[in-house]
Amino acid sequence: MPDPHPITGEPFDSPVRPGAGWPGDPAPAGTRVARTSAGVRRSAAGARDLAELDARVSVCGACPRLVGWREEVAHTRRSAFADQPYWGRPAAGFGDPAPAVLVVGLAPAAHGANRTGRIFTGDRSGDWIYAALHRAGYASQASSRHAGDGMALTGVRITAAVHCAPPGNAPTTAEKATCSTWLERELALVEPSLRSVLALGGIGWDAFLAAARASGWQVPRPRPRFGHGAQVDLVTAAGRRVRLLGSYHVSQQNTFTGRLTEPMLDEVVARL
């Protein structure tokens, strides 16, 4: 049965159908759906721009375990959000279509982006990264509550190594490999404007370096090691230099324990 969207009040089923009118939904009805790894490769390669790529990412069905989990969560829901519709689809990238900065995270949270439809939105991890981007002048507001709340990014685009919420926040090696094709195409589309990349956590760091290498970028060997504040300059296939910086992930495990503090995150963001 449809439930009202918490911002617009419009009724939606869970998961949300493409083209149903969800705020910020990049996919119209009939958007091509990739259902295998080979399908992801074909679909990503055929995306002419970020808008088309985001639409195709947001309907991807290539990983059966992830599809099953994201839809199960959307049907059962958390009690705190039992009266809300859940997006229940992959969370595509979000932000400036010609970004100077790309932020790469791990994957959507089951009751965060899998609920709201916008990456890093609706959970405490999102509270941290959007607040930091707001303090640095990249985000229009300090909190990102839900798709349709007016959030806009200038000069920054946020994406992830994996676009579906995984069980236990742990995508498999095969799932990460399948989703890497989307990141490689995204990297090709943003490269002309890109100045720097912020990798949140070791998985985001490794995923980005793998995508850069697969895209013909010059990546040092041995692979640069992740660490908070780590920095390395890469050279794109077009010969441009792009700075990669690492930060501990903005997970509750890190922020609640003090492993990552706001000043620590701000210091890295300031170097972008």
Side-chain angles (χ1 to χ4, degrees):
M1 183 174 179
D3 292 291
H5 188 279
I7 302 293
T8 70
E10 293 296 313
F12 292 96
D13 292 322
S14 303
V16 177
R17 292 177 290 104
W22 188 271
D25 186 349
T31 298
R32 176 179 178 177
V33 179
R35 301 195 184 279
T36 64
S37 293
V40 171
R41 289 192 293 272
R42 291 191 297 269
S43 191
R48 294 162 294 183
D49 54 30
L50 285 174
E52 189 169 22
L53 182 73
D54 289 344
R56 295 182 177 190
V57 166
S58 76
V59 299
C60 184
C63 299
R65 188 183 80 111
L66 298 186
V67 173
W69 174 248
R70 78 195 190 204
E71 294 188 357
E72 178 185 339
V73 171
H75 287 304
T76 59
R77 294 179 272 190
R78 177 175 282 172
S79 59
F81 309 118
D83 59 344
Q84 297 183 16
Y86 267 54
W87 173 251
R89 287 165 42 198
F94 170 73
D96 197 314
V101 176
L102 184 67
V103 178
V104 182
L106 169 53
H111 303 282
N114 190 58
R115 172 176 61 89
T116 65
R118 184 197 293 151
I119 201 161
F120 273 116
T121 296
D123 59 22
R124 291 189 180 276
S125 294
D127 292 344
W128 272 68
I129 188 60
Y130 281 105
L133 293 174
H134 179 68
R135 290 192 295 269
Y138 292 114
S140 62
Q141 53 199 51
S143 64
S144 183
R145 298 184 296 113
H146 211 292
D149 65 1
M151 172 62 77
L153 296 178
T154 300
V156 169
R157 177 176 168 86
I158 302 180
T159 190
V162 174
H163 289 282
C164 291
N169 293 321
T172 67
T173 299
E175 289 161 354
K176 287 185 285 186
T178 295
C179 221
S180 67
T181 307
W182 294 123
L183 183 57
E184 290 165 20
R185 183 59 184 152
E186 188 169 14
L187 186 54
L189 292 170
V190 302
E191 186 275 333
S193 62
L194 203 59
R195 177 184 72 225
S196 56
V197 176
L198 173 60
L200 298 174
I203 291 178
W205 177 271
D206 289 343
F208 178 79
L209 285 175
R213 181 167 284 141
S215 302
W217 290 31
Q218 295 177 31
V219 177
R221 291 187 183 275
R223 175 182 294 189
R225 294 182 62 181
F226 170 76
H228 184 80
Q231 177 175 325
V232 60
D233 286 343
L234 309 176
V235 179
T236 73
R240 298 180 57 251
R241 289 194 175 274
V242 173
R243 181 185 308 120
L244 171 63
L245 293 110
S247 169
Y248 292 142
H249 197 279
V250 286
S251 65
Q252 291 187 56
Q253 181 179 358
N254 287 335
T255 58
F256 278 12
T257 61
R259 186 176 191 229
L260 178 67
T261 65
E262 287 186 354
M264 288 171 64
L265 182 57
D266 288 346
E267 191 277 330
V268 174
V269 170
R271 289 155 56 194
L272 294 169

